[in-house]
Amino acid sequence: EAGVAQSPRYKIIEKRQSVAFWCNPISGHATLYWYQQILGQGPKLLIQFQNNGVVDDSQLPKDRFSAERLKGVDSTLKIQPAKLEDSAVYLCASSLDGQGVLYGYTFGSGTRLTVV
Amino acid sequence: GESVGLHLPTLSVQEGDNSIINCAYSNSASDYFIWYKQESGKGPQFIIDIRSNMDKRQGQRVTVLLNKTVKHLSLQIAATQPGDSAVYFCAEITWWVSGNTGKLIFGQGTTLQVKP
């Protein structure tokens, strides 16, 4: 079974520029999550999708971050404009069901963003 | 508020010794806990989980203990190996009141260093 695919692996941009990350979850996984992991900290949930609907985006800085999962499969996360404090690893995860209990969450390797 | 924390940021052990990584959580409503291992440049990887109606669960070389009275979780790794060197996170799931989905919240992480 293929894992969660993310691209790009690394991205360096200047502040105030825009950037987009892509995630392809495991086939058939209904729930998709985007996490932000700042160096030395645990991942923080940004947004959670169930199929193509948003379940929770309470931690997403909506003035600059946006995410979509149009066909209920792959997803993109965008930052516009980027700030220095957005430097982090952006992790995508998916689970077969919304609970993640029965089947667990699977994480991708992440995109490391550096804003200079 | 919701938070999951670990007691020590770094733990250094000798190869072959047993390791114990601790975690304190604050949300007494959480009913499912997971330990993740994260190696450099990779996403978190599932190790073991435990439901709140259990106090102990064993896997291969790993044991998770849950003490709901003091809201404490621990991960024990037997005969620690160099390949166990990584950052370990505890995480909790709290269910949404509505809907069939939960929210995965991570703690800060403990770096395990295994000395040969």
Side-chain angles (χ1 to χ4, degrees):
Chain A
E1 177 184 73
V4 175
Q6 290 189 248
S7 67
R9 285 286 281 129
Y10 306 93
K11 190 73 177 179
I12 301 174
I13 62 171
E14 295 182 348
K15 59 183 179 184
R16 291 187 289 274
Q17 285 187 323
S18 62
V19 64
F21 314 125
W22 175 80
C23 171
N24 190 16
I26 292 174
S27 178
H29 277 197
T31 309
L32 185 148
Y33 316 79
W34 282 102
Y35 282 83
Q36 179 193 57
Q37 186 174 22
I38 293 172
L39 185 64
Q41 298 182 16
K44 182 185 83 171
L45 179 68
L46 291 175
I47 189 167
Q48 178 176 341
F49 292 94
Q50 182 102 8
N51 297 308
N52 61 350
V54 176
V55 174
D56 177 29
D57 63 357
S58 58
Q59 302 264 56
L60 188 73
K62 298 180 187 64
D63 58 334
R64 299 184 300 106
F65 286 64
S66 64
E68 59 183 12
R69 192 185 185 198
L70 291 175
K71 296 182 179 180
V73 181
D74 56 353
S75 175
T76 55
L77 176 69
K78 297 179 181 177
I79 308 175
Q80 182 179 15
K83 293 185 175 181
L84 295 176
E85 59 261 36
D86 298 331
S87 294
V89 174
Y90 291 84
L91 294 163
C92 180
S94 69
S95 65
L96 187 60
D97 68 341
Q99 298 177 13
V101 173
L102 299 177
Y103 305 103
Y105 295 72
T106 303
F107 284 84
S109 295
T111 296
R112 181 176 295 277
L113 173 67
T114 302
V115 182
V116 298
Chain B
E2 300 170 333
S3 68
V4 180
L6 297 178
H7 294 309
L8 292 174
T10 303
L11 177 65
S12 185
V13 301
Q14 203 70 37
E15 180 179 356
D17 287 352
N18 296 333
S19 303
I20 300 177
I21 300 172
N22 295 304
C23 174
Y25 64 94
S26 61
N27 188 351
S28 56
S30 293
D31 50 13
Y32 186 64
F33 303 89
I34 308 173
W35 280 101
Y36 284 94
K37 172 185 180 183
Q38 188 173 26
E39 297 173 290
S40 181
K42 297 183 179 180
Q45 180 184 11
F46 174 93
I47 301 174
I48 191 167
D49 57 8
I50 188 167
R51 292 184 182 268
S52 60
N53 61 354
M54 304 168 68
D55 53 20
K56 180 179 180 179
R57 190 165 188 216
Q58 288 184 292
Q60 187 177 12
R61 282 202 308 119
V62 294
T63 300
V64 55
L65 300 178
L66 175 63
N67 185 332
K68 294 182 288 295
T69 302
V70 295
K71 291 187 284 189
H72 183 267
L73 195 67
S74 70
L75 176 70
Q76 301 178 359
I77 304 173
T80 312
Q81 302 168 359
D84 295 327
S85 294
V87 180
Y88 289 81
F89 293 96
C90 64
E92 62 182 315
I93 291 182
T94 38
W95 306 118
W96 295 119
V97 174
S98 61
N100 189 33
T101 188
K103 185 175 181 178
L104 183 66
I105 302 167
F106 283 83
Q108 292 298 308
T110 291
T111 299
L112 178 63
Q113 299 173 338
V114 182
K115 296 177 287 187

